[in-house]
Amino acid sequence: MPKTPEQWLEEATSQKKQGIFKLFLGYAPGVGKTFNMLSEGIRRKSRGEDVVVGLVETHGRKVIAELASNLEIVPRRAIQYKGASFEEMEVDAVLARRPQVVLVDELAHTNIEGTKHAKRYEDVMDLLDARIDVLSTMNVQHIESLMPLVRSITGVQVRETVPDWVMQRVTEIVLADLTPEALQTRMRRGDIYPLDRAERALGHFFRPGNLIALRELALQQVARAVDRSLESHLEKEGLERNLGVRERIAVGVSSSPAAQYLIARAARMAQRIEAELLVVYVDIGVDENPEDQRSLAQNLRFAEDLGAKIIRAKGKNVAEEVAKLVREKHITQVVFGRSAQKGWRRYLYLSAIHKFLRDAPPVDVHIVTEEMK
């Protein structure tokens, strides 16, 4: 007896190792991420898929609320925190409901204390592991490796971030795009924030220069995702692109908090050329106190979140040890940090770089000024 379409669909779903993760990426509030996500959810429902809303933030926008009302909404969990009431996605209720597709807004959101996970992206990982497809939204400035760059562009410290390894789990990225001019028009009409907040926002975060730069970052992210998809397709079809030897970028770090800027900069370099990233710490006996050890651990965790491989070495001289690793690991590019040193410290720094260049095999060297703000 031939299988029905429903049986074919159920069999295909049962064979999936994990859910499909589709991300609607934007560069600022108001570009249309949530609208596009809901529109796709409604289209999928019209095609017969079982679609629910795990969580959608309307922020008082009537159009978003009306769209969300077309889909089944899994009740949120109410949580009391510091005398106020909050609502978070009830991830276990979604898992129990077992839809084919769930919509989860604002991927970078930090959950209120008392929920199952600290971050919403962790909730999404649970859903994907349960072979449920997820549609989600996020702005580009919440990608962890871009945090220092976004701060330098906008002057705003982004508090909620998503580790780069989460971005590697994304199956498909859709750019929710709008020109900066059109976005500012929406802002002036009060479509994004109330009018009293809109004027302040237009003079700060929503300045034309900020929006243009953030839009460029979002376009770069989507371009890289498209390139990864092409590489995956070519590999499946046996049509490998002639990529030559894969680049390997190493960045030397210390216990200084400034090292996170350096790691993020190296991670962006590695992403652009699809290189492997190695973060190297050479223990020369200067980071023995507990505060330095805590700072070092934070730096190395940050590097791991960005997908880096950690290499720890011990020796008397950083330059010698890094040169040795360049030779052993076939590293093609090295990133060093330079702080604003003067006098004898500057002399020692330049001497160390000169020693490295003398001892290392041919390798590209990048000197990056470490930012501390």
Side-chain angles (χ1 to χ4, degrees):
M1 182 177 176
K3 296 178 183 177
T4 66
E6 289 76 14
Q7 288 172 325
W8 280 112
L9 184 60
E10 183 179 352
E11 183 176 309
T13 302
S14 67
Q15 291 174 354
K16 285 197 308 185
K17 292 183 179 179
Q18 64 179 33
I20 294 170
F21 188 8
K22 188 168 185 175
L23 180 67
F24 293 84
L25 185 72
Y27 67 90
V31 295
K33 302 179 300 296
T34 304
F35 181 92
N36 290 347
M37 178 183 70
L38 283 165
S39 298
E40 172 150 343
I42 292 167
R43 285 195 301 272
R44 290 193 179 198
K45 179 187 174 183
S46 71
R47 295 197 299 261
E49 294 185 55
D50 183 14
V51 182
V52 304
V53 171
L55 188 140
V56 163
E57 299 287 7
T58 66
H59 297 293
R61 300 170 196 169
K62 291 182 180 179
V63 173
I64 299 300
E66 288 171 1
L67 281 175
S69 68
N70 289 284
L71 297 169
E72 177 187 340
I73 299 175
V74 177
R76 299 187 189 188
R77 179 184 177 188
I79 300 174
Q80 297 297 318
Y81 181 71
K82 294 185 177 180
S85 181
F86 299 88
E87 290 186 341
E88 296 286 7
M89 180 172 70
E90 183 60 273
V91 65
D92 287 336
V94 178
L95 290 169
R97 170 64 177 72
R98 291 204 65 80
Q100 289 174 269
V101 184
V102 59
L103 279 59
V104 183
D105 214 359
E106 299 186 0
L107 185 65
H109 172 78
T110 300
N111 292 331
I112 296 297
E113 188 175 315
T115 53
K116 183 176 182 180
H117 295 299
K119 299 288 292 186
R120 190 167 289 165
Y121 68 75
E122 295 175 297
D123 295 333
V124 166
M125 294 302 115
D126 281 358
L127 298 170
L128 293 171
D129 289 342
R131 295 182 292 189
I132 298 171
D133 293 349
V134 176
L135 308 182
S136 191
T137 67
M138 187 179 73
N139 282 325
V140 69
Q141 57 265 34
H142 295 287
I143 298 175
E144 193 167 50
S145 64
L146 296 178
M147 181 176 61
L149 180 58
V150 170
R151 183 181 60 193
S152 68
I153 291 170
T154 66
V156 175
Q157 176 69 51
V158 177
R159 300 296 178 186
E160 295 183 313
T161 60
V162 170
D164 285 52
W165 65 261
V166 174
M167 299 301 294
Q168 299 302 316
R169 289 283 301 268
V170 174
T171 312
E172 182 182 354
I173 294 181
V174 176
L175 181 65
D177 194 26
L178 194 68
T179 66
E181 294 81 7
L183 182 59
Q184 288 179 316
T185 299
R186 280 189 182 180
M187 179 69 74
R188 292 188 184 98
R189 287 201 307 253
D191 294 346
I192 302 171
Y193 297 143
L195 289 174
D196 58 333
R197 288 181 60 195
E199 286 304 318
R200 290 197 302 272
L202 285 166
H204 294 87
F205 185 83
F206 283 77
R207 293 194 306 271
N210 286 355
L211 298 180
I212 292 167
L214 291 171
R215 188 186 188 207
E216 176 66 20
L217 289 178
L219 289 166
Q220 289 174 2
Q221 287 295 318
V222 174
R224 279 197 286 272
V226 170
D227 196 54
R228 285 197 301 270
S229 296
L230 176 60
E231 291 298 334
S232 177
H233 170 73
L234 292 175
E235 185 177 341
K236 286 179 182 177
E237 297 295 324
L239 303 171
E240 293 186 10
R241 185 189 286 179
N242 183 17
L243 295 175
V245 179
R246 189 185 184 193
E247 295 277 346
R248 308 186 91 189
I249 298 178
V251 53
V253 301
S254 66
S255 62
S256 166
Q260 291 193 17
Y261 175 85
L262 196 63
I263 294 165
R265 184 75 178 272
R268 292 198 302 276
M269 292 169 58
Q271 287 172 357
R272 289 190 189 107
I273 61 173
E274 298 292 333
E276 182 180 1
L277 177 62
L278 297 91
V279 169
V280 179
Y281 171 70
V282 179
D283 182 3
I284 57 173
V286 298
D287 294 318
E288 300 300 324
N289 69 67
E291 185 176 345
D292 286 339
Q293 286 296 310
R294 281 193 297 271
S295 181
L296 174 63
Q298 288 174 352
N299 292 345
L300 298 182
R301 279 196 301 271
F302 180 74
E304 287 176 334
D305 283 344
L306 300 189
K309 179 181 179 181
I310 307 299
I311 297 178
R312 302 183 73 139
K314 197 164 186 175
K316 296 180 179 179
N317 185 284
V318 173
E320 287 180 0
E321 293 301 321
V322 175
K324 188 188 302 181
L325 286 168
V326 166
R327 189 174 293 104
E328 292 174 355
K329 304 292 184 182
H330 306 291
I331 290 163
T332 59
Q333 300 187 44
V334 177
V335 180
F336 287 111
R338 180 179 69 84
S339 55
Q341 303 283 13
K342 294 182 179 180
W344 65 273
R345 287 181 180 274
R346 180 178 177 82
Y347 172 77
L348 288 177
Y349 171 81
L350 294 173
S351 295
I353 295 295
H354 178 75
K355 183 171 181 57
F356 168 80
L357 293 172
R358 186 191 66 197
D359 295 343
V363 64
D364 292 342
V365 176
H366 305 268
I367 309 297
V368 176
T369 299
E370 298 176 76
E371 290 191 357
M372 283 292 291
K373 293 187 180 180

